[in-house]
Amino acid sequence: QNEAEESRGRRSTGSGRGPEREPDYPNTEFVSQKRAWRERRPRGGMQVAVRESARDSLREMAAAKPSEASQPCCHRGSEPSHPLRVVSWNIGLRGLATLASSTAASFDAPDVHGISRRQSFGSLAALLAALDADIVCFQEVKLREMERHLALVDGWDSYFSLCRAREPRTSGGRYAGVATFCRTGCRPRLAAEGVTGVLDSSIGHRASLVAESSEEELRQIDSEGRCVITVHADLALLNVYAPANTASDPEESERRRAFKASFLRALELRCRDLAAAGLRVLLIGDMNISPSRLDSAREAELLQAPPPPSASRLWLQALLGPPRPFFADAFRALHPARGGAYSCFHVASGADRHNYGSRIDLALLAPPPLLPSTGQAGSGQAGSGLAGSGLAGGSSAHASVGATAPPSRRGGPSFDLSLFSDCSAAAPPLSLHACEIVELEGSDHLPLRLLLSGLEQRSPPPQLPLSSRSRLGGQSVLSGFLVSQPPPPATAPPSAVRRRRFCPCSKS
């Protein structure tokens, strides 16, 4: 660990790239922070402890079942206790086409701060292998249409939602977009694009949305390619890229504020409907919301009273409780008071070099997960940690709600369901073993990695219409992707789907 930190220190001070130089700060928003940045240690110091904790959990599980380490986590044997590895990463700095390019250089030339940043992994297979997961959720893929080499790779299925709006603001459609890649062994039994279900109603459970909004309003919410939902056994996984309001024009800023509010409201209603139907829910991705002052470097160093929390933060805090939390913030459930754990940085200013960022890439679980060390539901035993640090920022974003009840039907400790709103008795919580922010270059965000157990899916279900293999068929380019299409005929030869093959990942 010490050697790794020393290596990071050498990289951060520009060793090997000429003499150290004072970084330029092209964004005036950061000029006032220059002195504080000099005193900060290089990025990654706090993440080291997170990685080490996760590695310990992985080593213990690998030792328990060493012969099954190479099998997909969703379907290792017949026991429900094997871990599921889920990674979320916003790749908007490069986009999927560049990160998976075989022609782009692996690293850029050093920038004004002397930092050479990763530009490409060489292929989609190499990118997925570097993330070492069973399910990978990308945000900001920035694709106008899909090509086979960006959607198909041996051993994986993929599910995309791309931007439908063809406007200058969206670069003609090359904007936002999300993609969920699942190992074949973790293939979902249901999949749909969009939050509202208006584009694809195959999953259902959207009565609250239909009752509250018109179809035109629902289509507008899903026009930018911001969500893909996959259902694995009884776990509904929502891969989300929430809107951010960065407009400088007052009129446009107000319009984007209203759009973000509508999107978040629709997201909440859909999650509540899914939970009420008996599904566990994992909402993961770039939420563009830092849950509390502890999750923002700018706010954490303020000496005076903090400004009032934003409307989106108040919305998130209401879902995290108290008194009746619907979601648990997975990272804070395991690390209640850890500071300096940021996932998003303003790289043009060199902010990542000094670990000056915010934690806006989140994993939210409903019902709150069981924590193996306590055997209790953890909406985050983070309430006391935040309160003690004085960084709660308004109403507490987390509450200690763990409770022990008679053993559940899945065995082991259970929980007091009355503490959680809209959670069905048919959906006991998953066990959360690790949640870490991973240092991997290639974007202005860092990946978020979860380790979960308690999912009981025995065998991979058949391919779904939303799967890229079904949608692409024998085409070289996915034209007409923005129009709902039926699956290819059953008589189509398998070779038509697998005309171009990739090397399988070296790690499962």
Side-chain angles (χ1 to χ4, degrees):
Q1 179 177 345
N2 292 336
E3 291 176 358
E5 290 183 336
E6 290 175 5
S7 175
R8 292 186 190 89
R10 288 193 296 271
R11 181 181 64 187
S12 300
T13 56
S15 177
R17 301 191 182 98
E20 176 69 357
R21 56 178 293 181
E22 179 71 11
D24 298 320
Y25 295 90
N27 188 329
T28 57
E29 184 181 3
F30 289 89
V31 171
S32 63
Q33 309 297 342
K34 289 167 68 175
R35 178 173 298 176
W37 284 5
R38 293 191 193 103
E39 299 172 357
R40 292 178 182 274
R41 59 179 171 177
R43 186 186 84 186
M46 282 298 179
Q47 278 86 348
V48 171
V50 182
R51 286 197 307 274
E52 290 301 318
S53 174
R55 285 195 192 116
D56 292 342
S57 298
L58 288 168
R59 289 191 191 103
E60 292 174 4
M61 293 177 182
K65 294 284 183 181
S67 62
E68 298 178 350
S70 61
Q71 301 179 33
C73 289
C74 286
H75 309 294
R76 292 180 188 166
S78 59
E79 300 179 14
S81 58
H82 295 290
L84 174 70
R85 302 166 298 175
V86 183
V87 167
S88 172
W89 195 14
N90 181 310
I91 55 175
L93 184 67
R94 306 294 187 198
L96 184 60
T98 299
L99 279 185
S101 172
S102 59
T103 57
S106 296
F107 287 86
D108 282 340
D111 60 14
V112 294
H113 310 294
I115 302 174
S116 180
R117 304 183 187 279
R118 178 179 285 277
Q119 184 175 0
S120 173
F121 285 81
S123 69
L124 178 59
L127 171 59
L128 294 172
L131 294 170
D132 189 27
D134 302 304
I135 300 175
V136 175
C137 301
F138 290 126
Q139 298 90 43
E140 285 202 90
V141 294
K142 294 185 175 179
L143 299 174
R144 192 174 188 276
E145 62 181 11
M146 289 303 306
E147 298 180 10
R148 294 177 64 84
H149 74 283
L150 298 176
L152 305 183
V153 60
D154 279 353
W156 295 81
D157 281 6
S158 60
Y159 307 84
F160 282 79
S161 180
L162 302 183
C163 180
R164 287 169 156 71
R166 299 290 190 256
E167 307 169 3
R169 176 182 63 82
T170 65
S171 302
R174 200 176 298 276
Y175 169 80
V178 295
T180 300
F181 284 79
C182 308
R183 290 190 184 275
T184 304
C186 294
R187 181 185 293 155
R189 62 181 181 87
L190 294 170
E193 71 168 311
V195 171
T196 67
V198 70
L199 304 177
D200 186 340
S201 60
S202 58
I203 293 179
H205 311 308
R206 52 190 293 266
S208 298
L209 281 165
V210 174
E212 188 171 291
S213 305
S214 67
E215 181 171 331
E216 182 180 354
E217 291 171 331
L218 298 181
R219 288 191 179 278
Q220 179 63 28
I221 289 171
D222 278 336
S223 65
E224 295 183 354
R226 293 185 175 275
C227 181
V228 164
I229 305 176
T230 53
V231 180
H232 310 261
D234 61 351
L235 173 66
L237 190 156
L238 290 84
N239 175 10
V240 170
Y241 173 47
N245 185 4
T246 57
S248 56
D249 177 69
E251 184 177 343
E252 176 65 12
S253 177
E254 177 59 26
R255 191 181 74 83
R256 294 304 293 174
R257 185 204 61 77
F259 176 76
K260 182 172 185 176
S262 298
F263 181 90
L264 294 179
R265 175 61 176 166
L267 185 62
E268 177 186 351
L269 291 177
R270 190 66 188 278
C271 289
R272 289 188 182 276
D273 281 351
L274 290 167
L279 295 170
R280 277 90 65 93
V281 178
L282 171 57
L283 174 57
I284 190 169
D286 178 2
M287 295 297 295
N288 271 310
I289 307 170
S290 55
S292 72
R293 288 183 63 197
L294 187 62
D295 302 304
S296 168
R298 184 189 304 279
E299 293 184 63
E301 68 183 10
L302 290 176
L303 299 179
Q304 67 273 24
S310 65
S312 56
R313 177 179 288 180
L314 290 175
W315 170 84
L316 179 59
Q317 289 179 343
L319 289 176
L320 294 173
R324 288 167 59 83
F326 177 72
F327 276 123
D329 180 343
F331 185 84
R332 286 296 170 211
L334 293 174
H335 315 293
R338 175 170 286 144
Y342 308 127
S343 63
C344 179
F345 307 88
H346 191 279
V347 296
S349 312
D352 56 332
R353 191 179 173 197
H354 301 276
N355 194 33
Y356 191 86
S358 58
R359 189 176 69 91
I360 61 176
D361 299 273
L362 308 176
L364 309 178
L365 283 160
L370 296 176
L371 306 181
S373 59
T374 63
Q376 295 184 340
S379 167
Q381 280 69 13
S384 58
L386 287 173
S389 65
L391 299 176
S395 61
S396 176
H398 309 276
S400 179
V401 298
T404 304
S408 68
R409 63 183 178 86
R410 295 175 184 267
S414 186
F415 62 102
D416 183 356
L417 190 65
S418 65
L419 294 171
F420 313 120
S421 59
D422 300 330
C423 291
S424 166
L430 296 169
S431 292
L432 176 64
H433 301 277
C435 183
E436 54 179 321
I437 298 172
V438 181
E439 286 212 44
L440 184 64
E441 295 183 354
S443 184
D444 53 348
H445 291 246
L446 295 177
L448 179 68
R449 193 170 193 267
L450 275 79
L451 196 62
L452 300 165
S453 66
L455 194 64
E456 299 183 19
Q457 183 165 302
R458 300 302 184 186
S459 58
Q463 227 169 70
L464 297 170
L466 187 64
S467 167
S468 297
R469 293 192 183 277
S470 297
R471 285 179 172 260
L472 282 168
Q475 305 173 64
S476 59
V477 175
L478 182 54
S479 58
F481 182 85
L482 303 181
V483 179
S484 179
Q485 297 180 353
T491 56
S495 59
V497 177
R498 294 188 172 89
R499 180 177 299 170
R500 183 174 180 181
R501 300 181 65 85
F502 297 86
C503 297
C505 298
S506 59
K507 301 175 76 173
S508 82

